[in-house]
């Protein structure tokens, strides 16, 4: 079981793929986090590929928990959001101030300050273009949608997903549903209707992703299924299946499909379809359905990043301050932390010259691998290390210099970024 509320977990990525049905990404996206397999898994990423290939609109969505400081690990999600924005995604970001109030006792006022000063200002300095950032506590759409979505799940399901029991706090029931609403509300009618939506996350958030994908599907009247090499459509939960069948048949034939209805089974068989056309047919019918169903969603997609190792080995955790670099650290602090990091180096210089270091277990090498987008440079560091010509002291200094430059740049841009907030924060709704 994956616990999104625990801060001390170790993940075996291959096992996650085997046991939780997470898929490996293909090589469609030419971005360093994909190329270097820092994104090791995904669900439903083929929807983004489809949208991009066909010039369709799509969303990218994430949330931030306004507690403490933004650190290098959080940066990876925003790097991806900025990448998808550059491909044309409409970006939405939830400030999870309801969650931080409930779980950490952080007041709304304080959460607002932290979100703006510690997180959003950095996002803007990193290159995030104007987008839609909102506070959970102020968003009437997400709260209403959460209420509606709660009817699509029950305690047995939540117990199975999260290991809840009868004494679990209702917060553990409410917060996954709010998170599902954060993501899905980007597809309600006045936000532009159903669209593929990518949610880049750390793999600890996978239980939330699985739940929101199921909730999205359960709200649909048309459910699209591969069926013996073709696609069939089933009509769910309606007292007038014939009307829905006829509407869908009309829309599908306008798109060149030949359909046979089965009124008894509330089904449509699409004769000249192939299983590969599932996404296309899903999109056609989602648009049709959104005309009469306020809650028509395309199942959201997710990418899963590996967790960056802490500088002391183990997890980056705010309870071990020297394990992580905060984006608000002065360069001198970051340099000190890097100098004291554990490495994949050998006991002695002689041994290192002879045998080479082990970058695959080295948190300092990860600073290069996760935070430089220059492939040649990163391979050079790797080869020099394994080849025994790069020593840990010099390698740490070089990494510290790179990270310091990055932090310096954020610090210099901070005021300018704070001045742009109005292009990012959406006003209270309701
Ligand atoms: N629960 C997430 C966290 O702890 C924050 C979050 C809230 C979120 N809403 C979201 C993440 C929607 C992704 C999408 O970090």
């Amino acid at each position: 079981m994956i616990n999104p509320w625990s801060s001390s977990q170790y993940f075996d990525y291959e096992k996650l793929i085997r046991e939780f049905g997470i898929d490996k990404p293909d090589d469609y996206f030419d971005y360093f986090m994909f190329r270097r397999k820092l994104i090791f898994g995904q669900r439903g990423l083929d929807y983004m590929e489809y949208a991009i290939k066909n010039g369709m609109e799509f969303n990218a969505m994430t949330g931030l928990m306004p507690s403490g400081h933004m650190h290098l690990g959080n940066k990876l999600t925003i790097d991806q959001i900025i990448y998808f924005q550059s491909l044309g995604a409409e970006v939405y970001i939830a400030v999870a101030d309801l969650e931080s109030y409930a779980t950490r006792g952080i007041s709304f006022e304080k959460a607002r300050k932290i979100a703006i000063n510690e997180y959003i200002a950095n996002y803007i300095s990193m290159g995030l273009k104007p987008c839609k950032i909102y506070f959970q506590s102020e968003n009437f759409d997400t709260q209403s949608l959460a209420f509606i979505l709660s009817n699509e799940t029950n305690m047995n399901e939540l117990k199975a997903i999260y290991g809840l029991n009868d004494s679990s706090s209702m917060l553990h029931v409410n917060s996954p549903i709010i998170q599902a609403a954060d993501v899905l509300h980007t597809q309600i009618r006045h936000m532009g209707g159903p669209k593929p939506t990518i949610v880049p996350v750390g793999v600890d958030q996978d239980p939330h992703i699985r739940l929101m994908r199921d909730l999205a599907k359960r709200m649909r009247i048309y459910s699209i299924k591969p069926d013996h090499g073709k696609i069939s459509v089933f009509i769910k939960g309606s007292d007038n299946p014939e009307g829905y069948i006829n509407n869908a048949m009309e829309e599908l034939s306008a798109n060149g499909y030949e359909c046979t209805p089965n009124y008894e089974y509330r089904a449509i068989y699409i004769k000249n379809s192939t299983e590969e056309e599932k996404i296309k047919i899903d999109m056609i019918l989602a648009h049709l359905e959104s005309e009469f169903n306020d809650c028509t969603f395309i199942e959201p997609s997710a990418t899963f990043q590996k967790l960056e190792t802490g500088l002391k080995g183990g997890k980056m955790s705010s309870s071990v301050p020297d394990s992580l670099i905060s984006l608000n650290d002065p360069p001198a602090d970051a340099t000190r932390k890097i100098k004291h990091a554990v490495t994949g180096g050998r006991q002695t210089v002689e041994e290192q010259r002879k045998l080479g270091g082990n970058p695959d277990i080295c948190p300092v090498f990860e600073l290069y691998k996760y935070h430089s987008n220059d492939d040649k440079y990163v391979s050079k560091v790797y080869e020099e290390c394994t080849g025994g010509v790069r020593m840990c002291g010099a390698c740490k200094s070089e990494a510290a210099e790179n990270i310091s430059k990055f932090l310096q740049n954020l610090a210099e841009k901070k005021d300018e970024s704070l001045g742009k907030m109005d292009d990012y924060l959406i006003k209270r709704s309701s």
Side-chain angles (χ1 to χ4, degrees):
M1 191 162 301
I2 301 175
N3 181 351
W5 295 291
S6 154
S7 57
S8 53
Q9 287 176 96
Y10 166 77
F11 294 109
D12 174 341
Y13 299 114
E14 289 299 321
K15 194 168 157 205
L16 287 171
I17 286 178
R18 280 196 312 274
E19 292 183 5
F20 287 93
I22 290 176
D23 295 314
K24 289 190 177 168
D26 62 19
D27 53 14
Y28 177 77
F29 290 100
D30 189 16
Y31 181 57
F32 81 94
M33 289 179 65
F34 285 101
R35 289 196 301 267
R36 292 180 207 159
K37 314 248 181 294
L38 302 177
I39 295 168
F40 75 94
Q42 52 94 4
R43 291 186 191 271
L45 197 60
D46 45 355
Y47 274 79
M48 318 324 294
E49 299 183 16
Y50 183 83
I52 292 167
K53 282 181 192 155
N54 291 282
M56 295 168 131
E57 293 177 351
F58 65 105
N59 299 327
M61 164 79 208
T62 188
L64 68 97
M65 179 81 136
S67 65
H69 294 298
M70 181 179 173
H71 59 72
L72 282 181
N74 310 136
K75 168 179 174 287
L76 297 172
T77 304
I78 300 306
D79 284 334
Q80 273 189 77
I81 289 282
I82 293 171
Y83 169 68
F84 285 116
Q85 189 178 43
S86 78
L87 298 181
E90 175 90 65
V91 170
Y92 294 84
I93 299 176
V95 177
D97 62 347
L98 289 178
E99 226 176 310
S100 56
Y101 181 88
T103 59
R104 320 251 165 118
I106 297 174
S107 75
F108 293 119
E109 201 189 311
K110 185 161 175 220
R112 189 176 189 94
K113 281 201 185 116
I114 296 177
I116 292 176
N117 288 300
E118 309 281 334
Y119 290 80
I120 304 168
N122 286 329
Y123 297 177
I124 299 173
S125 304
M126 283 164 59
L128 183 69
K129 298 278 178 309
C131 65
K132 295 180 173 141
I133 304 181
Y134 66 92
F135 292 80
Q136 275 180 338
S137 64
E138 297 181 346
N139 194 315
F140 182 66
D141 288 332
T142 55
Q143 290 172 31
S144 310
L145 181 56
F147 185 87
I148 292 168
L149 291 173
S150 68
N151 193 35
E152 301 295 328
T153 182
N154 59 36
M155 283 313 296
N156 281 331
E157 181 174 55
L158 296 178
K159 282 178 180 176
I161 298 177
Y162 296 100
L164 305 185
N165 58 49
D166 289 347
S167 312
S168 298
S169 162
M170 290 304 288
L171 189 66
H172 289 155
V173 172
N174 286 322
S175 65
I177 299 177
I178 282 279
Q179 186 153 334
D182 280 334
V183 171
L184 297 178
H185 96 285
T186 66
Q187 300 187 28
I188 60 181
R189 191 173 293 134
H190 71 261
M191 304 300 256
K195 285 178 199 165
T197 301
I198 179 77
V199 190
V201 288
V203 69
D204 59 309
Q205 301 286 305
D206 183 48
H208 296 328
I209 298 291
R210 272 181 271 143
L211 178 68
M212 67 178 75
R213 282 168 61 81
D214 283 343
L215 295 177
K217 257 189 295 194
R218 289 174 197 159
M219 299 299 291
R220 284 282 287 273
I221 295 168
Y222 294 122
S223 94
I224 289 90
K225 298 221 165 68
D227 186 2
H228 297 92
K230 301 193 192 320
I231 298 291
S232 295
V233 179
F234 296 91
I235 289 39
K236 281 189 319 201
S238 144
D239 46 12
N240 174 21
E242 280 169 34
Y244 287 107
I245 289 179
N246 294 340
N247 274 336
M249 297 236 303
E250 205 175 293
E251 189 70 22
L252 289 167
S253 50
N255 281 280
Y257 289 110
E258 288 169 41
C259 304
T260 317
N262 185 327
Y263 291 103
E264 194 187 347
Y265 291 140
R266 304 173 158 225
I268 302 168
Y269 306 117
I270 310 178
K271 278 188 277 187
N272 58 342
S273 62
T274 63
E275 286 193 4
E276 284 68 50
E277 286 166 290
K278 176 172 183 278
I279 298 179
K280 179 175 176 197
I281 292 167
D282 189 11
M283 304 270 268
I284 292 171
L285 292 182
H287 288 119
L288 171 67
E289 183 175 335
S290 68
E291 289 170 24
F292 40 80
N293 175 5
D294 289 336
C295 290
T296 307
F297 304 117
I298 299 206
E299 257 183 296
S301 315
T303 53
F304 301 102
Q305 314 144 26
K306 289 186 180 168
L307 298 179
E308 204 175 340
T309 313
L311 294 174
K312 294 285 174 194
K315 231 194 127 167
M316 279 195 179
S317 158
S318 38
S319 57
V320 186
D322 283 358
S323 70
L324 56 81
I325 294 172
S326 152
L327 297 198
N328 304 285
D329 275 347
D333 279 7
T335 301
R336 180 185 52 77
K337 292 181 194 176
I338 295 170
K339 294 257 160 94
H340 289 95
V342 300
T343 70
R346 304 281 169 184
Q347 300 288 355
T348 64
V349 172
E350 290 71 50
E351 248 185 83
Q352 178 122 343
R353 288 225 169 84
K354 209 160 82 200
L355 304 168
N358 187 353
D360 293 321
I361 57 158
C362 180
V364 176
F365 178 67
E366 283 188 19
L367 294 173
Y368 294 91
K369 185 170 163 186
Y370 284 73
H371 303 290
S372 160
N373 46 28
D374 181 345
D375 286 349
K376 276 201 194 119
Y377 175 55
V378 176
S379 323
K380 180 172 152 263
V381 172
Y382 189 90
E383 276 151 28
E384 286 175 359
C385 175
T386 53
V389 290
R390 174 175 278 261
M391 297 297 128
C392 294
C395 186
K396 282 177 168 176
S397 303
E398 192 174 323
E401 219 171 282
N402 296 341
I403 298 290
S404 295
K405 254 188 227 147
F406 170 71
L407 296 175
Q408 191 77 42
N409 182 37
L410 290 185
E412 278 162 17
K413 286 190 177 153
K414 186 139 195 176
D415 285 341
E416 194 190 328
S417 297
L418 285 170
K420 293 183 185 159
M421 262 331 133
D422 283 352
D423 299 338
Y424 292 80
L425 300 183
I426 56 177
K427 302 272 166 328
R428 184 185 192 104
S429 76
S430 82

